[in-house]
Amino acid sequence: MAGDFDAKYETFQALLEMFPPSEAVKRLELLGVEQDVIDQIRARHEEQMIRIKELEEPHAVVMGNRDTWYTGPQAKDKCWPAITKLLRKDDWPEPVIQDLDDSSTRVVSLLNHPKEKSFSTRGLVVGYVQSGKTTNFTSVMAKAADRGYKLFIVLAGIHNGLRRQTQTRLVQQLVEPNPSMWSQLTGLDKDFTPQENPAGYFGKSNRTHVLCVVKKNATVLRKLSRWLAQASEYLEDCPALIIDDEADQATVATKSINPLILSIMSSLPRSAYVGYTASPFANLLIDPSAQDLYPRDFVVNLPKPAGHFGTEVLFGRYALDGEDQEDVDDGYDMIRSVPTDDVPCVRPETKADVEGFEPVITGTLLRAIDYFWLVTAARRVRGTGNPHSTMLIHTSVNTSVHNSFERPLEHLRKKRAQSLTDVSVVSRLQRLWEKETARVPAEDFGETPVPFDSLLAQLPGVLESCRVIMDNSSSEDRLDYENGPVVAIAVGGNTLSRGLTLEGLSVSYFVRAVSAYDTLLQMGRWFGFRKGYADLPRIWMTDELAEWFRHLATVETEMRRDIDVYMTEAETPLTFAVRLRTHPALRVTAAAKMRSAVTAASSYGGRRVQTHYFQTNAEWLRGNIDAARGLVESSMANAVRVEERSAEGRFIFRNVPHDVVTDFLSAYRFHEKSPENDADLITAYIRKRVSAAGSLRRWNVAIVGNPGGEPFEFTPGVTVGRSVRARLADPLGPEHADIKTLMSRRDAAIDLSGNVKQLEEKDIMRERRAQLPDTGLLVLYPIDKMSEPNPSKKTRRPLNVEEHVIGVGLVFPEPRNQDSTVEKYISADLSGVRIEDEDLSLLEGEDA
């Protein structure tokens, strides 16, 4: 009986090739299959669908009425098995292949069945920069082809280099393993040009899949749109999948590209549009109600692959709400500082300075280049991992600035090759190598240390093979990894900043300033996988840019957490709204892409707010000391009860009136780089809750010191030891300090009774609801102005400011009824920043 049922289930699966699930069931009925057997078949199919829907990863937010028809690969498939064969040949671990199988299956399950009469799907897949998104969408295309999708259009960025790279990958993984199954409308060196006979591709006699890889260029897309419109009679039975790689670039709010994509979709009665991006800020701000490309049907959040270098592991991030900062890593010690005085030497300060600009090889740029040559030699000693080795120099978008680097870099390469017999030069290189490898030990990454003497023997060959390449839209000599191992110093701008994989990228020198989150994130070509040299990558950049990336890592993590939260709360893409926290010097995305965005209401209910940025000058810091002493004096005078815990270095002033707190907030100065610590916004929130609900009328004010620290007196009788909070190694400049962490989880429970020391964050908030449902908590921290770091904290430096620091933490109770929210528009002040945004002139130009 089991064998008979299996045979009938196989018949059902064969019917699914020709019909959607509901139609396939009807066909079984017409074939005379008994109702109880049909019920069993439906139950097994639903079991498979539930398995796909409930995959632990990836998370997805989905329109509720979407059927999951695809239940995974089958034995007869051709395209997907060919990909797995290639991946195994490239030594991909089986667990990684399984993750790829699961995530691509989940995406395909959210497409429409290819045999539905008509559909127009809109979806978005959120990955990480340089994390294998191309492999994921290639796998999605393979599985969709195995189930009957015919036309595959890939929108591959705005530059020829990325389009060619994408075409190459798709040909290698889809076409070459099954050449008889595919026809191509584009080639390696040929973007789309209209073909005379559409029937040759889409007629019923042609059963091949059709591949078309195009740039987001108005001329190219206009040709494709017109050609498809003329072929409309052949497209009624042509299920099409449109993959938009780098979907936030040029797709959203562009006058030509956006309407042309919609026009192409209008010619395809059965079409699915799936955007792929690592920076979906613009896509998530499209008006969901407009006839546009908002991902109304699904948003899939791909997990971070094992071994991936992303913003968080490189730059660290700040704690999100509900996290303890001690549990959040500071990032690897791989970022090196470029002094602001160096920037005019490598980048024109104004447009007027571009003509005739001559770069200077500064001390930091020289160290970065020498280190690159050392790394390349060390990797040759190891003999493992990616055979290519690349350095990126990205200082400007201007092609003439790129070209100006060629002569000094080539001169330096020849000079270094000749100087390898100079004992002083070799000694300096040895000091550089040993200093860098001591800061980031190879053993921490499971790699083998390379002694300097071993790599020295490889240096002449490295310098001989190293090429200096100007890779931009006007250069003829471009990065090409298809003809043997490459050692290259690549100088470029936009052509190197989007999608393009820089193979074996080891060192980056990056000083270009941009104005938006998505542009900044995509500039990070150093993200990705570093098999065989995970200990060796380094990034030279300004301290300001490093801080921007740390903020961006926080935004990115928070955004992904929002998507996961919405998934568990049964939201749909049309009812969720991901919050994107602001930065005082960065827009979320280009202004045109934010036309449909609204300012989210700011509510502090249930939140923990703390300071981590401080200025370093004595006057600013003394002002905050005075404000804190005034708060303590007023708290002593107005508190119902004062508790001293001298053994712990703590004081608590209970039931202090709220106006004592708001007076303090008006006197205390928060750092301008902390938009979440906005005194006016916090004060307005407190007053709204006091007047609307009677909550927050009373506060507990606490002081947390270090029992073993040097004494700090707030007022006579209130003295605690100063705490130690070292600053991050990449400061915001001499006038600013970032300590990253202030409050511990335990401090948020300082005024609670009972044994609360081991409670998790959610348990602390539960106890606060039970014990102090309407009471706020304000905590003061006196911090020693020198604050030497723990020797184990390699990314920390002494605080070294002119006066002792007062840190502030606030804990707000969760509201019992409707919360009082306040709104504030935070406008980016870009007046002091030299900005070079993406050059999108290529969208409108003639195709090159």
Side-chain angles (χ1 to χ4, degrees), residues 7 126 147 255 276 327 414 431 433 449 453 456 468 485 498 503 508 556 585 589 614 617 679 700 723 797 817 825 840:
V126 182
R147 286 297 168 277
K255 292 179 181 178
Y276 273 75
D327 299 332
K414 291 176 181 177
R431 288 196 301 273
W433 179 250
D453 290 343
L456 184 59
V468 176
R498 270 277 184 175
E503 297 287 352
S508 301
E556 191 181 12
T589 184
F614 303 97
N617 72 81
N700 292 335
S723 296
R797 299 291 181 269
N817 301 307
Y825 288 87
L840 299 181

Side-chain angles (χ1 to χ4, degrees), residues 631 635-636 638-643 645 651-658 660-661 664 696-704 743 747-753 768 771-780 808-813:
L631 171 63
S635 297
M636 285 190 72
N638 290 280
V640 173
R641 187 168 84 253
V642 178
E643 299 174 12
R645 304 176 187 173
F651 281 82
I652 303 174
F653 306 91
R654 291 192 179 269
N655 290 314
V656 173
H658 74 276
V660 172
V661 171
F664 165 73
L696 290 180
R697 289 186 186 277
R698 292 281 170 176
W699 285 71
N700 292 335
V701 175
I703 299 172
V704 172
M743 269 187 117
D747 296 344
I750 188 172
D751 55 342
L752 296 177
S753 58
R768 295 200 71 83
Q771 297 183 33
L772 300 166
D774 295 313
T775 304
L777 170 65
L778 187 152
V779 187
L780 296 174
V808 176
L810 297 129
V811 181
F812 292 90

Side-chain angles (χ1 to χ4, degrees), residues 471-601:
D471 196 303
N472 53 51
S473 54
S474 65
S475 62
E476 294 182 9
D477 190 18
R478 307 293 283 272
L479 280 169
D480 180 3
Y481 297 106
E482 296 170 28
N483 298 301
V486 169
V487 178
I489 298 175
V491 184
N494 286 331
T495 60
L496 299 180
S497 67
R498 270 277 184 175
L500 195 70
T501 299
L502 298 180
E503 297 287 352
L505 182 63
S506 306
V507 176
S508 301
Y509 186 90
F510 181 82
V511 297
R512 177 179 159 193
V514 296
S515 63
Y517 292 175
D518 41 15
T519 310
L520 186 66
L521 187 57
Q522 290 293 347
M523 294 287 164
R525 296 295 93 198
W526 46 79
F527 303 131
F529 300 95
R530 301 291 176 258
K531 184 180 178 184
Y533 64 108
D535 56 318
L536 299 178
R538 298 290 186 274
I539 305 166
W540 271 261
M541 60 169 48
T542 61
D543 297 330
E544 180 180 53
L545 276 168
E547 187 276 324
W548 286 9
F549 272 106
R550 186 179 302 110
H551 172 86
L552 192 56
T554 311
V555 173
E556 191 181 12
T557 304
E558 193 168 50
M559 174 195 69
R560 293 173 192 281
R561 188 173 76 165
D562 260 12
I563 293 175
D564 290 347
V565 166
Y566 284 124
M567 184 207 73
T568 61
E569 292 179 354
E571 298 279 353
T572 76
L574 289 178
T575 60
F576 87 152
V578 171
R579 299 166 302 142
L580 301 171
R581 69 166 66 189
T582 56
H583 187 281
L586 287 168
R587 291 192 301 265
V588 171
T589 184
K593 300 177 185 178
M594 295 198 291
R595 286 175 185 148
S596 300
V598 296
T599 299

Side-chain angles (χ1 to χ4, degrees), residues 100 128-137 169 302 305 308 529:
L100 175 64
Y128 291 79
V129 174
Q130 297 285 290
S131 67
K133 294 189 301 299
T134 304
T135 304
N136 187 279
F137 72 64
R169 291 274 299 274
L302 294 179
H308 179 262
F529 300 95

Side-chain angles (χ1 to χ4, degrees), residues 211 216 290 303 451 458 658 765 814 828:
L211 177 63
K216 291 186 201 174
Q458 296 289 336
H658 74 276
M765 297 314 292
E814 290 184 356

